[in-house]
Amino acid sequence: MAEALKVPTMAEYMAEGKKPEVLFWVGCSGSFDDRAKKITKAFVKLLTKAGVDFAVLGTEESCTGDPAKRAGNEFLFQMQAMTNIEVLNGYEIKKVVTACPHCFNTIKNEYPALGGNYEVMHHTQFLKSLLNEGRLKVEGGKFKGKRITFHDPCYLGRGNGEYEAPRDLLRKLEVELVEMRMCKRNGLCCGAGGAQMFKEPEPGTKDVNVERTEQAMEVKPEVIAAGCPFCNTMMTDGVKSKDKEDSIAVMDVAEMIAEAQDL
């Protein structure tokens, strides 16, 4: 399948004297994590199907610095950010789309102070805009009528006030959308934010991701929909801890749309 996915790099575009409509910022998870790579591929398939002219930085892309900053290493964050901003500005990038809310939040809200000013969109927002422009069709398919609950990523929802784009896309899939008792601005973190993704949990009686998974299971979903690779990992681990991986799937919104269309 990988051979069929043609993903041009900015260097290739530059060599041809062209500029893409949008830069797809893949992020560390989307590049290296085996589970998140599937989200990247699904999103690329949707971009290709919609006829979007896009490119990636490839080996020129480095971590945005979000984990370093959240863990308290401001110096490392600024080093990573400045390196990325130099590359982005060198290519005269105007518009960035990413499937990771952590990258989204950092590039959108923290890069401007360091000289990086771009229009930044989360992949659910971008897919919604493609839908509105009639470039992408989203319809039920295999998810029609299934019980789905959406887990709000902290940096998309409470961090940036975006609750509707992912839900609008899910409604277009004609699913039965059921909300957890803690959702939207009262949503509960999956437990991976603030660089917690990369360390073992603190001692306690229950892990955050298990608590969140229990809230999801209360509404008896067939799929827990996510919009963040970190959330995806944490909710998947939560579902596994309850031995429910056979009956509850954890999927990114982009994967669901791609699968509904048999891409």
Side-chain angles (χ1 to χ4, degrees):
M1 184 62 235
E3 291 73 39
L5 287 177
K6 177 74 186 89
V7 181
T9 62
M10 276 307 300
E12 289 167 3
Y13 262 83
M14 197 73 163
E16 291 175 26
K18 293 194 305 188
K19 279 188 187 169
E21 177 184 341
V22 64
L23 173 82
F24 172 27
W25 185 276
V26 184
C28 300
S29 288
S31 301
F32 302 114
D33 180 81
D34 284 342
R35 175 64 187 87
K37 282 180 196 172
K38 294 177 180 171
I39 301 170
T40 303
K41 285 179 183 168
F43 185 53
V44 165
K45 286 176 188 171
L46 293 173
L47 290 176
T48 307
K49 178 133 197 295
V52 176
D53 195 13
F54 73 99
V56 297
L57 287 176
T59 53
E60 293 186 274
E61 181 186 302
S62 166
C63 178
T64 58
D66 165 78
K69 188 177 181 76
R70 305 296 159 228
N73 194 337
E74 180 67 22
F75 176 66
L76 177 58
F77 161 71
Q78 292 202 14
M79 276 173 54
Q80 291 179 304
M82 295 300 280
T83 306
N84 285 325
I85 289 167
E86 269 182 38
V87 173
L88 290 167
N89 289 352
Y91 282 125
E92 297 179 357
I93 297 296
K94 300 281 182 281
K95 191 170 182 177
V96 179
V97 62
T98 179
C100 174
H102 295 255
C103 299
F104 165 72
N105 178 69
T106 303
I107 299 172
K108 178 174 181 277
N109 297 322
E110 287 161 358
Y111 276 24
L114 300 169
N117 294 285
Y118 322 101
E119 180 191 349
V120 189
M121 296 180 86
H122 184 250
H123 70 316
T124 57
Q125 296 175 324
F126 192 64
L127 290 170
K128 173 111 191 295
S129 72
L130 292 175
L131 186 76
N132 293 346
E133 290 163 21
R135 295 167 71 181
L136 185 70
K137 261 179 78 167
V138 181
E139 45 201 30
K142 61 178 288 188
F143 296 103
K144 193 170 181 172
K146 288 200 169 181
R147 276 178 78 83
I148 314 284
T149 191
F150 179 70
H151 163 75
D152 287 287
C154 294
Y155 280 118
L156 183 64
R158 290 174 302 171
N160 287 284
E162 179 59 79
Y163 302 105
E164 293 315 313
R167 286 175 172 82
D168 286 345
L169 291 168
L170 289 169
R171 285 188 199 102
K172 283 278 191 270
L173 287 172
E174 298 170 60
V175 304
E176 183 192 347
L177 190 59
V178 284
E179 296 288 2
M180 295 181 232
R181 57 186 165 88
M182 293 181 78
C183 66
K184 299 189 180 176
R185 68 183 47 171
N186 296 317
L188 180 69
C189 177
C190 71
Q196 299 294 313
M197 181 76 177
F198 308 101
K199 58 183 273 297
E200 289 305 307
E202 307 291 336
T205 53
K206 189 193 286 185
D207 289 354
V208 178
N209 66 316
V210 174
E211 174 72 24
R212 186 55 167 161
T213 304
E214 285 172 358
Q215 292 182 3
M217 285 167 61
E218 285 172 11
V219 298
K220 300 186 169 43
E222 290 167 80
V223 180
I224 298 172
C228 169
F230 288 11
C231 297
N232 201 303
T233 298
M234 300 302 272
M235 299 306 282
T236 301
D237 286 352
V239 168
K240 281 179 182 165
S241 76
K242 298 291 183 187
D243 291 321
K244 290 285 188 220
E245 61 261 49
D246 294 335
S247 56
I248 302 176
V250 180
M251 295 181 76
D252 189 88
V253 175
E255 290 181 300
M256 293 175 69
I257 298 168
E259 210 167 289
Q261 301 198 359
D262 290 323
L263 290 182

